[in-house]
Amino acid sequence: MDAMEQRRNTIVDLVNQSGNISFAQLKKKFPQISEMTLRTDLKALDEAKRIVRVHGGAKSVDVVVGTDDMLSRRLVRNMEAKQLIAQKALSFIRKDTAIFLDSGSSTTALASCMPDQSNLIYTNSLTCAAELSKLKEPAIHVLAGTMNRYSMGVCGIHTIQEVQRINFDQAFMGVTSYCSQAGFTCGVDEEAVLKKTVMGQAEQAIVLMDSSKVGVKSTYSICGLHDVDILISDGSLPQDFLEACRECQVQVI
């Protein structure tokens, strides 16, 4: 196997491990390789249908237009980071408050360690609901809607309408990616609308996002940094993103 083939196999492995990768991340991984060569690699891998080339990077072939990656795959990626994020998020949960838990792997990790105390918890996530069912004290409400078998969440016009009549103290939100041009994004139009609606109904909007999602753009925009109160991550966010958070007065944990 020659060096080019080894490099391209490594690129495919990296994309499959995280679901997506930015061109900036690729350059860091291969500092001795020219940008032109890396772009040629991405083009060749895309044509071979081993990855999906997108603006600013690449996605796994499992990430299809109009969907996000399978939740079952995301649950086993960056597990240590997700557990760290969940533990950090726990310190923000207050008793006797109304909470929204979004669908996603990081929010599912949070649901799995939620305190058994008096809270009113709404969720559109079937995996979060399964974890929360182990608790006795909180009142759990699962929103109605059409199931997305990729995210294991429910969504739709009725879900959005239901959310519009509820005032949340806190909303713990999952996102697929973030880039400076598009803000926080995801791969499903209706889910982007639901997420934005929930955040507008919340006194405190809290985004759970590991650092691998920075510098990547998905199809549908959710919101910008200025719409977020707190961002909880794994401690490895890039410096330029941290600067942008400070400018928008977003508390980073």
Side-chain angles (χ1 to χ4, degrees), residues 54-67:
V54 297
H55 178 74
K59 288 185 178 182
S60 164
V61 292
D62 291 323
V63 181
V64 187
V65 174
T67 70

Side-chain angles (χ1 to χ4, degrees), residues 25-229:
Q25 289 171 320
L26 273 181
K27 288 195 293 184
K28 288 182 180 178
K29 180 66 178 178
F30 302 100
Q32 306 303 320
I33 306 300
S34 71
E35 289 191 11
M36 182 177 294
T37 299
L38 287 175
R39 293 187 192 281
T40 301
D41 288 342
L42 293 182
K43 182 179 179 181
L45 291 169
D46 179 82
E47 290 173 349
K49 302 189 185 306
R50 299 183 65 192
I51 63 165
V52 178
R53 191 168 54 142
V54 297
H55 178 74
K59 288 185 178 182
S60 164
V61 292
D62 291 323
V63 181
V64 187
V65 174
T67 70
D68 280 331
D69 194 9
M70 291 289 287
L71 179 64
S72 59
R73 293 187 178 96
R74 286 186 278 138
L75 284 171
V76 297
R77 289 193 197 116
N78 303 320
M79 289 181 64
E80 290 185 9
K82 295 179 197 302
Q83 291 300 324
L84 174 61
I85 290 168
Q87 290 300 316
K88 288 182 177 181
L90 277 178
S91 64
F92 289 90
I93 294 178
R94 307 188 301 269
K95 191 177 180 181
D96 298 319
T97 56
I99 295 170
F100 180 85
L101 279 185
D102 193 15
S103 62
S105 52
S106 293
T107 50
T108 299
L110 173 58
S112 71
C113 59
M114 286 283 285
D116 196 358
Q117 64 184 32
S118 175
N119 284 108
L120 181 59
I121 305 177
Y122 285 83
T123 186
N124 69 321
S125 166
L126 301 182
T127 52
C128 284
E131 294 292 345
L132 294 170
S133 69
K134 303 169 187 176
L135 306 178
K136 296 180 180 179
E137 294 299 320
I140 313 299
H141 294 263
V142 183
L143 299 176
T146 303
M147 186 184 78
N148 178 337
R149 60 178 52 86
Y150 287 87
S151 67
M152 293 303 291
V154 297
C155 194
I157 184 62
H158 298 298
T159 322
I160 294 166
Q161 288 174 343
E162 186 174 359
V163 161
Q164 288 173 333
R165 66 180 184 84
I166 306 169
N167 298 308
F168 304 107
D169 294 295
Q170 295 173 309
F172 292 87
M173 308 302 300
V175 298
T176 301
S177 48
Y178 174 87
C179 71
S180 57
Q181 303 95 325
F184 295 100
T185 57
C186 70
V188 182
D189 190 9
E190 283 188 339
E191 289 190 6
V193 175
L194 176 61
K195 291 173 189 288
K196 186 175 183 67
T197 304
V198 168
M199 294 171 75
Q201 294 292 115
E203 181 179 329
Q204 191 176 57
I206 303 172
V207 169
L208 311 182
M209 184 184 76
D210 69 73
S211 55
S212 70
K213 297 181 178 181
V214 178
V216 183
K217 182 170 67 174
S218 295
T219 310
Y220 300 102
S221 292
I222 302 165
C223 66
L225 272 175
H226 59 278
D227 297 304
V228 175
D229 297 301

